[in-house]
Amino acid sequence: MIKYYKWFDQTSMKKRFNVLVTRRLHRSALDKLGKKYNVFLHSGKIPIPKKNLINKIKDMDGLICHPYDIIDKEVISNAKNLQVISTFSVGFDHIDIKVAKTQGIRIGYTPEVLTNATAELAIGLILDVLRRISEGDRIIRNKKWNQIFGAYDYTGIEVSGKTIGIMGMGRIGKEVAKKANGLGMNVIYHSRKPVSKNVEKMLRAKFVSENTLYKNSDVISLHVPYNKNTHHLMNSKIFKKMKKTSFLINTSRGKIVDEKQLVVALKTKQILGAGMDVYELEPMKKNNPLLKLENVVLAPHVGSSTKETRQKMSDITARNLILGLEGKKLLYSV
Ligand code: DGY
């Protein structure tokens, strides 16, 4: 269902832009938008059904969307008045950027503010899967604690002293490196190009080839954006290169990992476990085989989902949209 958030200002003769918001933002952000524009807030099923989106976008000057809203060519070609797309995310793989730009649409996003939250979650998944925290929680709740009394019945892997291989040394990769230092991990990384020597020194991180990263890491943490080059970057060929005692952590985008092949790798003990926040299909289907595996920790795509970060994302998303509609420079523009 789409409903007015604020009524059209009848007293003003000025044309008010129409803005579609596909999911509720913080009240303060909605108020800011509502003062200036006619805001249409989608308040029904999430994500907004494509048919509704296409219908509504026809009259919109601005769009605030989320990673689950697929803003593809079909949507954009119906958006004849659209000037700005402001996404509530750092990732923008859900938007056909090329088509949007051809149509002169400006695109805003929310990097930086979610760096820490996402890095925290990556570290959380590492600790959880190596030390088997969630698995232990299930054991207790299922009243099976009495079966793991022996000194060796329920051992995890110590994080300190292990090597983390960070794939993608952007903002989040760097923050993970910092936090991994604090845990006593050795840091190696691979990215399109090495970071400066100073940054490497500060992060105590060593640039290695892709192959070396796969072969030498005890934990591989993915921090690359999703695009055609990173589609199924992690596949059976790579899992075979990884240590049999290693773990995969993904807080980036689901399609970077070939999930079917990951399940095989986990079942056949090619790797020891995985910690995941993102999936090929979200929300995942009830019969997803990952649900049956004890050596996997599953989070429901909550990397940036802290109270602090969501407030900041909400503010930036609204400000990007307002700046764009005012013809000014966006705070963060794709
Ligand atoms: C992002 O910002 O891209 C995160 O995945 C948010 O949900």
Coordinates of all heavy atoms in Angstrom, one line a residue, residues 67 88-91 110 114 252-253 278 301 304 310 313, ligand 1:
P67 N 18.5 -1.8 -0.6 CA 19.1 -2.8 -1.4 C 18.2 -3.9 -2.0 O 18.4 -4.5 -3.0 CB 20.1 -3.5 -0.5 CG 20.5 -2.5 0.5 CD 19.2 -1.7 0.7
F88 N 19.6 3.8 0.6 CA 19.9 3.6 2.0 C 20.9 2.4 2.1 O 20.5 1.4 2.7 CB 18.6 3.3 2.7 CG 18.6 3.2 4.2 CD1 18.4 4.3 5.0 CD2 18.8 2.0 4.8 CE1 18.4 4.2 6.4 CE2 18.8 1.9 6.2 CZ 18.6 3.0 7.0
S89 N 22.0 2.6 1.6 CA 23.0 1.5 1.6 C 24.3 2.0 1.0 O 24.4 3.0 0.3 CB 22.5 0.4 0.7 OG 22.3 0.8 -0.6
V90 N 25.4 1.2 1.3 CA 26.7 1.5 0.7 C 26.8 0.8 -0.6 O 27.3 1.3 -1.6 CB 27.9 1.1 1.6 CG1 27.9 -0.3 1.9 CG2 29.2 1.6 1.1
G91 N 26.1 -0.4 -0.7 CA 26.1 -1.1 -1.9 C 25.1 -0.5 -2.9 O 24.0 0.0 -2.5
T110 N 25.3 5.7 0.9 CA 25.7 6.0 2.3 C 27.0 5.3 2.8 O 26.9 4.4 3.7 CB 24.6 5.6 3.3 OG1 24.4 4.2 3.2 CG2 23.3 6.3 3.0
L114 N 28.7 3.3 7.8 CA 28.4 1.9 8.2 C 29.7 1.1 8.3 O 29.6 -0.2 8.5 CB 27.3 1.3 7.3 CG 27.4 1.5 5.8 CD1 28.6 0.8 5.2 CD2 26.2 1.0 5.2
S252 N 29.5 -9.1 2.6 CA 29.5 -8.1 1.5 C 28.2 -8.3 0.7 O 27.2 -7.6 1.0 CB 30.8 -8.4 0.7 OG 30.9 -7.4 -0.3
R253 N 28.2 -9.2 -0.3 CA 27.0 -9.5 -1.0 C 26.9 -11.0 -1.3 O 28.0 -11.6 -1.6 CB 27.0 -8.7 -2.4 CG 26.6 -7.3 -2.3 CD 25.1 -7.1 -1.9 NE 24.7 -5.7 -1.8 CZ 24.7 -5.0 -0.7 NH1 25.0 -5.5 0.5 NH2 24.2 -3.7 -0.7
V278 N 25.0 -12.4 4.3 CA 24.4 -12.1 3.0 C 24.3 -13.4 2.2 O 25.2 -14.3 2.4 CB 25.2 -11.1 2.2 CG1 25.0 -9.7 2.9 CG2 26.7 -11.4 2.2
H301 N 21.4 -10.4 7.2 CA 21.9 -9.2 6.5 C 21.7 -8.0 7.4 O 20.9 -7.1 7.2 CB 21.1 -9.0 5.2 CG 21.8 -8.0 4.3 ND1 21.7 -8.0 2.9 CD2 22.6 -7.0 4.6 CE1 22.4 -7.0 2.4 NE2 23.0 -6.4 3.4
S304 N 25.0 -3.5 8.7 CA 25.0 -2.0 9.1 C 23.8 -1.7 10.1 O 23.6 -0.6 10.4 CB 24.8 -1.2 7.8 OG 23.5 -1.5 7.2
R310 N 22.1 3.2 11.7 CA 20.9 3.4 10.9 C 20.4 4.8 11.0 O 19.8 5.4 10.0 CB 19.8 2.4 11.4 CG 20.1 1.0 10.9 CD 19.7 0.8 9.4 NE 20.5 -0.2 8.7 CZ 20.2 -1.4 8.4 NH1 19.0 -1.9 8.8 NH2 21.0 -2.2 7.7
M313 N 22.6 6.7 8.5 CA 22.2 6.3 7.2 C 21.0 7.0 6.7 O 20.8 7.5 5.6 CB 22.0 4.8 7.0 CG 23.3 4.0 7.1 SD 23.0 2.2 7.2 CE 22.6 1.8 5.5
Ligands
DGY1 C1 24.7 -1.9 2.4 O1 24.6 -0.7 2.9 O2 24.9 -2.1 1.3 C2 24.3 -3.0 3.4 O3 24.3 -4.2 2.8 C3 22.9 -2.6 3.9 O4 22.0 -3.2 4.1

